[in-house]
């Protein structure tokens, strides 16, 4: 029941990101949604206790988030990429000791995903605040057509 509620809340946050975000926000939201759907399909791909399918999917997700974080001026993408990198690193734990670290990695990933779930809602707030900030500053002391992002890029 809790998993369904978290899944629904994540879908709500991702939908709000698609609605209120700019292109990088939307691309990351669509990619995260797709990975949430695909993950149960690759969960069975394992080598011993090493979940290769989910690890590869999380690595792909990290690389896409990292690429978007480098191109966009969104702090939440940098934090999301950092959390995703930690998730990817937990997939290496069964290679250290397959008997002891399997459940630890799963619990760590669940905790990190909880942080990502909260971050998705903060990202929606950041996207809306950036849009509002740009709208309020356009045409005022910055001159016509010079929003906050244009001034930041000029420095």
């Amino acid at each position: 029941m809790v998993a369904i509620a978290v899944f629904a809340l994540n879908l709500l946050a991702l939908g709000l990101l698609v609605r209120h975000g700019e292109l990088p926000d939307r691309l990351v939201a669509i990619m995260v949604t797709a990975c949430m759907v695909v993950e149960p399909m690759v969960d069975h791909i394992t080598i011993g206790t090493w979940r290769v399918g989910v690890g590869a999917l999380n690595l792909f997700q990290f690389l896409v988030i990292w690429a978007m974080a480098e191109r966009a001026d969104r702090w939440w993408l940098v934090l999301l990429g950092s959390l995703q990198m930690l998730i990817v690193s937990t997939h290496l734990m069964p290679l250290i000791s397959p008997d002891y670290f399997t459940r630890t990695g799963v619990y760590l990933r669940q905790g990190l995903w909880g942080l990502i779930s909260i971050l998705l809602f903060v990202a929606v707030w950041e996207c809306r605040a950036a849009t509002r900030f740009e709208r309020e500053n356009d045409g005022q002391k910055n001159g016509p057509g010079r929003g906050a992002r244009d001034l930041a890029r000029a420095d």
Side-chain angles (χ1 to χ4, degrees):
M1 184 68 162
V2 172
I4 293 171
V6 170
F7 189 77
L9 286 172
N10 285 332
L11 288 179
L12 173 67
L14 292 165
L16 290 171
L17 268 175
V18 169
R19 185 178 193 293
H20 296 290
E22 293 179 356
L23 182 63
D25 307 308
R26 291 176 179 156
L27 290 176
V28 168
I30 291 167
M31 185 270 312
V32 169
T33 305
C35 287
M36 286 172 54
V37 171
V38 170
E39 186 170 341
M41 297 176 203
V42 297
D43 190 38
H44 68 282
I45 303 171
T46 60
I47 298 175
T49 59
W50 187 28
R51 299 172 59 196
V52 180
V54 176
L57 184 66
N58 284 328
L59 178 62
F60 166 76
Q61 193 171 359
F62 164 69
L63 294 174
V64 171
I65 292 168
W66 182 18
M68 287 294 118
E70 286 186 348
R71 288 167 178 74
D73 57 346
R74 298 285 196 202
W75 63 266
W76 74 270
L77 285 173
V78 175
L79 183 55
L80 180 65
S82 301
L83 292 172
Q84 190 63 34
M85 182 180 64
L86 289 173
I87 288 174
V88 169
S89 69
T90 64
H91 285 287
L92 300 176
M93 293 175 77
L95 297 177
I96 298 169
S97 176
D99 297 330
Y100 298 110
F101 291 121
T102 302
R103 295 303 308 167
T104 304
V106 171
Y107 293 142
L108 278 171
R109 283 190 290 276
Q110 287 175 347
L112 291 169
W113 187 253
L115 292 174
I116 288 173
S117 298
I118 294 167
L119 178 62
L120 291 174
F121 283 102
V122 175
V124 173
W125 171 83
E126 198 268 340
C127 291
R128 293 191 65 177
T131 303
R132 182 176 177 195
F133 184 72
E134 268 190 26
R135 199 173 339 138
E136 288 176 357
N137 283 335
D138 279 348
Q140 290 182 359
K141 61 184 173 189
N142 300 333
R146 296 231 9 173
R149 291 200 176 138
D150 293 332
L151 289 176
R153 289 187 184 121
D155 292 341

